[in-house]
Amino acid sequence: MNDVKKDLLTVPNLLTLFRILLIPVYAVLYMRATTLRDYIVSAAVLAVSALTDMVDGIVARKCNMISRLGIMLDPFADKLTQGVIMLCLTIRHPEILPLLIFFVVKEGFMFVMGCRLLRQKKILDGALMTGKVCTTVLFLGMIALVVFPKMPAPGVAVIVSVCAVFMAVSLVSYILCYVKNSSHIKDWD
Protein backbone atom coordinates (compact mmCIF):
# COMPACT_ATOMS: atom_id res chain seq x y z
CA MET A 1 0.00 0.00 0.00
CA ASN A 2 2.88 2.38 0.70
CA ASP A 3 4.16 1.92 -2.87
CA VAL A 4 0.78 3.01 -4.26
CA LYS A 5 0.71 6.04 -1.94
CA LYS A 6 4.31 6.88 -2.84
CA ASP A 7 3.53 6.50 -6.58
CA LEU A 8 0.37 8.58 -6.25
CA LEU A 9 2.20 11.49 -4.65
CA THR A 10 4.64 12.07 -7.51
CA VAL A 11 4.34 15.33 -9.42
CA PRO A 12 3.37 13.60 -12.71
CA ASN A 13 0.63 11.55 -11.04
CA LEU A 14 -0.72 14.57 -9.16
CA LEU A 15 -0.87 16.45 -12.47
CA THR A 16 -2.75 13.51 -13.99
CA LEU A 17 -5.21 13.50 -11.09
CA PHE A 18 -5.65 17.25 -11.59
CA ARG A 19 -6.52 16.58 -15.24
CA ILE A 20 -9.16 14.07 -14.16
CA LEU A 21 -10.63 16.67 -11.78
CA LEU A 22 -10.81 19.17 -14.67
CA ILE A 23 -13.15 16.88 -16.65
CA PRO A 24 -16.38 17.72 -14.79
CA VAL A 25 -15.33 21.39 -14.67
CA TYR A 26 -15.04 21.43 -18.46
CA ALA A 27 -18.30 19.52 -18.94
CA VAL A 28 -20.30 21.89 -16.74
CA LEU A 29 -18.73 24.99 -18.29
CA TYR A 30 -19.33 23.74 -21.83
CA MET A 31 -22.88 22.51 -21.30
CA ARG A 32 -23.86 25.82 -19.65
CA ALA A 33 -22.06 27.96 -22.23
CA THR A 34 -24.20 30.49 -24.07
CA THR A 35 -21.73 33.21 -25.04
CA LEU A 36 -18.45 33.16 -26.92
CA ARG A 37 -16.70 34.05 -23.65
CA ASP A 38 -18.25 30.95 -22.00
CA TYR A 39 -16.97 28.74 -24.81
CA ILE A 40 -13.50 30.27 -24.61
CA VAL A 41 -13.39 29.63 -20.85
CA SER A 42 -14.34 25.97 -21.37
CA ALA A 43 -11.70 25.70 -24.11
CA ALA A 44 -9.14 27.24 -21.75
CA VAL A 45 -9.88 24.46 -19.25
CA LEU A 46 -9.17 21.96 -22.03
CA ALA A 47 -5.96 23.77 -22.94
CA VAL A 48 -4.82 23.59 -19.29
CA SER A 49 -5.63 19.87 -19.33
CA ALA A 50 -3.61 19.34 -22.51
CA LEU A 51 -0.66 21.34 -21.16
CA THR A 52 -0.60 19.45 -17.87
CA ASP A 53 -0.65 16.23 -19.90
CA MET A 54 2.50 17.37 -21.69
CA VAL A 55 4.16 18.56 -18.49
CA ASP A 56 3.46 15.37 -16.54
CA GLY A 57 5.14 13.30 -19.24
CA ILE A 58 8.17 15.55 -19.42
CA VAL A 59 8.58 15.63 -15.63
CA ALA A 60 8.13 11.85 -15.37
CA ARG A 61 10.87 11.19 -17.91
CA LYS A 62 13.33 13.95 -16.95
CA CYS A 63 13.06 13.37 -13.20
CA ASN A 64 12.84 9.58 -13.40
CA MET A 65 9.35 9.57 -11.84
CA ILE A 66 7.82 6.97 -14.12
CA SER A 67 5.64 4.66 -12.05
CA ARG A 68 3.36 1.71 -12.74
CA LEU A 69 0.44 3.78 -11.51
CA GLY A 70 1.37 6.62 -13.85
CA ILE A 71 1.73 4.25 -16.80
CA MET A 72 -1.92 3.26 -16.35
CA LEU A 73 -3.36 6.50 -14.96
CA ASP A 74 -2.07 8.88 -17.66
CA PRO A 75 -3.70 7.16 -20.67
CA PHE A 76 -6.87 6.62 -18.60
CA ALA A 77 -7.03 10.39 -17.96
CA ASP A 78 -6.40 11.09 -21.66
CA LYS A 79 -9.16 8.78 -22.84
CA LEU A 80 -11.63 9.89 -20.19
CA THR A 81 -11.01 13.54 -21.11
CA GLN A 82 -11.31 12.88 -24.84
CA GLY A 83 -14.47 10.82 -24.39
CA VAL A 84 -16.19 13.48 -22.29
CA ILE A 85 -15.19 16.22 -24.73
CA MET A 86 -16.61 14.26 -27.66
CA LEU A 87 -19.76 13.38 -25.76
CA CYS A 88 -20.37 17.03 -24.86
CA LEU A 89 -19.65 18.14 -28.42
CA THR A 90 -21.94 15.45 -29.83
CA ILE A 91 -24.83 16.91 -27.87
CA ARG A 92 -24.40 20.21 -29.76
CA HIS A 93 -23.04 18.76 -33.01
CA PRO A 94 -24.77 15.41 -33.72
CA GLU A 95 -22.52 14.95 -36.76
CA ILE A 96 -19.70 14.08 -34.33
CA LEU A 97 -21.48 10.88 -33.26
CA PRO A 98 -19.64 8.61 -35.76
CA LEU A 99 -16.30 9.88 -34.42
CA LEU A 100 -17.45 9.21 -30.85
CA ILE A 101 -18.49 5.67 -31.80
CA PHE A 102 -15.15 5.06 -33.55
CA PHE A 103 -13.36 6.43 -30.47
CA VAL A 104 -15.25 4.02 -28.18
CA VAL A 105 -14.45 1.06 -30.47
CA LYS A 106 -10.76 2.02 -30.73
CA GLU A 107 -10.35 2.56 -27.01
CA GLY A 108 -12.31 -0.59 -26.24
CA PHE A 109 -9.81 -2.52 -28.36
CA MET A 110 -6.92 -0.80 -26.59
CA PHE A 111 -8.41 -1.66 -23.19
CA VAL A 112 -8.90 -5.33 -24.08
CA MET A 113 -5.37 -5.61 -25.47
CA GLY A 114 -3.93 -3.83 -22.43
CA CYS A 115 -5.72 -6.27 -20.10
CA ARG A 116 -4.49 -9.18 -22.22
CA LEU A 117 -0.91 -7.94 -21.91
CA LEU A 118 -1.27 -7.53 -18.14
CA ARG A 119 -2.50 -11.12 -17.84
CA GLN A 120 0.71 -12.14 -19.64
CA LYS A 121 2.66 -9.94 -17.20
CA LYS A 122 3.60 -7.60 -20.03
CA ILE A 123 2.95 -3.93 -20.70
CA LEU A 124 3.18 -1.51 -23.58
CA ASP A 125 6.34 0.52 -23.06
CA GLY A 126 4.75 3.96 -23.49
CA ALA A 127 2.51 5.33 -26.17
CA LEU A 128 3.41 4.87 -29.81
CA MET A 129 4.21 8.06 -31.70
CA THR A 130 1.03 7.64 -33.76
CA GLY A 131 -0.95 7.55 -30.51
CA LYS A 132 0.71 10.74 -29.26
CA VAL A 133 0.04 12.52 -32.54
CA CYS A 134 -3.55 11.26 -32.55
CA THR A 135 -4.08 12.57 -29.01
CA THR A 136 -2.69 15.98 -30.02
CA VAL A 137 -4.85 16.17 -33.15
CA LEU A 138 -7.96 15.15 -31.19
CA PHE A 139 -7.32 17.80 -28.54
CA LEU A 140 -6.70 20.52 -31.12
CA GLY A 141 -9.74 19.53 -33.16
CA MET A 142 -12.02 19.35 -30.15
CA ILE A 143 -10.74 22.66 -28.76
CA ALA A 144 -11.45 24.28 -32.15
CA LEU A 145 -15.01 22.96 -32.03
CA VAL A 146 -15.44 24.29 -28.50
CA VAL A 147 -14.07 27.75 -29.36
CA PHE A 148 -16.18 27.99 -32.52
CA PRO A 149 -19.57 26.65 -31.38
CA LYS A 150 -21.38 27.90 -34.47
CA MET A 151 -18.94 26.34 -36.92
CA PRO A 152 -20.79 25.40 -40.11
CA ALA A 153 -21.38 21.70 -40.75
CA PRO A 154 -18.70 21.49 -43.51
CA GLY A 155 -16.07 22.78 -41.05
CA VAL A 156 -17.17 20.29 -38.41
CA ALA A 157 -17.02 17.54 -41.05
CA VAL A 158 -13.42 18.46 -41.93
CA ILE A 159 -12.33 18.36 -38.28
CA VAL A 160 -14.16 15.07 -37.68
CA SER A 161 -12.60 13.57 -40.82
CA VAL A 162 -9.07 14.63 -39.88
CA CYS A 163 -9.52 13.25 -36.35
CA ALA A 164 -10.93 9.99 -37.75
CA VAL A 165 -7.94 9.55 -40.09
CA PHE A 166 -5.46 10.05 -37.24
CA MET A 167 -7.46 7.68 -35.04
CA ALA A 168 -7.44 5.06 -37.79
CA VAL A 169 -3.68 5.36 -38.32
CA SER A 170 -3.14 5.10 -34.57
CA LEU A 171 -5.42 2.06 -34.29
CA VAL A 172 -3.66 0.26 -37.14
CA SER A 173 -0.24 0.94 -35.62
CA TYR A 174 -1.37 -0.42 -32.25
CA ILE A 175 -2.93 -3.49 -33.87
CA LEU A 176 0.38 -4.17 -35.62
CA CYS A 177 2.26 -3.60 -32.36
CA TYR A 178 0.08 -6.10 -30.48
CA VAL A 179 -0.04 -8.69 -33.27
CA LYS A 180 3.70 -8.62 -33.91
CA ASN A 181 4.51 -8.44 -30.17
CA SER A 182 6.82 -5.57 -31.08
CA SER A 183 9.73 -4.15 -29.12
CA HIS A 184 7.27 -1.66 -27.54
CA ILE A 185 5.94 -4.51 -25.42
CA LYS A 186 8.04 -5.33 -22.38
CA ASP A 187 7.81 -7.56 -19.32
CA TRP A 188 6.02 -6.09 -16.33
CA ASP A 189 8.96 -6.13 -13.93
Side-chain angles (χ1 to χ4, degrees), residues 38 43 57 59 62 70 72 84 92 99 125 149 156 167 169:
D38 296 340
V59 170
K62 296 273 185 196
M72 292 187 289
V84 169
R92 298 207 181 189
L99 184 66
D125 189 19
V156 174
M167 283 174 54
V169 169

Side-chain angles (χ1 to χ4, degrees), residues 52-156:
T52 56
D53 184 26
M54 271 183 8
V55 170
D56 78 41
I58 291 168
V59 170
R61 285 185 293 281
K62 296 273 185 196
C63 298
N64 198 25
M65 293 182 165
I66 296 171
S67 67
R68 288 182 178 188
L69 179 62
I71 288 170
M72 292 187 289
L73 194 59
D74 184 65
F76 173 75
D78 289 345
K79 303 318 167 195
L80 189 59
T81 301
Q82 293 166 0
V84 169
I85 294 168
M86 279 191 252
L87 183 61
C88 289
L89 285 167
T90 299
I91 292 168
R92 298 207 181 189
H93 299 281
E95 59 271 43
I96 295 174
L97 183 60
L99 184 66
L100 177 60
I101 292 168
F102 183 32
F103 175 80
V104 170
V105 168
K106 175 187 175 283
E107 296 311 325
F109 168 80
M110 299 291 291
F111 178 76
V112 168
M113 293 309 292
C115 288
R116 184 172 168 245
L117 283 178
L118 284 175
R119 280 197 5 241
Q120 298 171 356
K121 299 199 182 318
K122 294 182 180 285
I123 191 164
L124 194 62
D125 189 19
L128 300 179
M129 185 53 70
T130 55
K132 291 178 182 183
V133 172
C134 177
T135 295
T136 301
V137 169
L138 280 175
F139 268 119
L140 292 174
M142 298 302 112
I143 288 172
L145 291 172
V146 171
V147 172
F148 301 105
K150 296 187 187 300
M151 183 178 292
V156 174

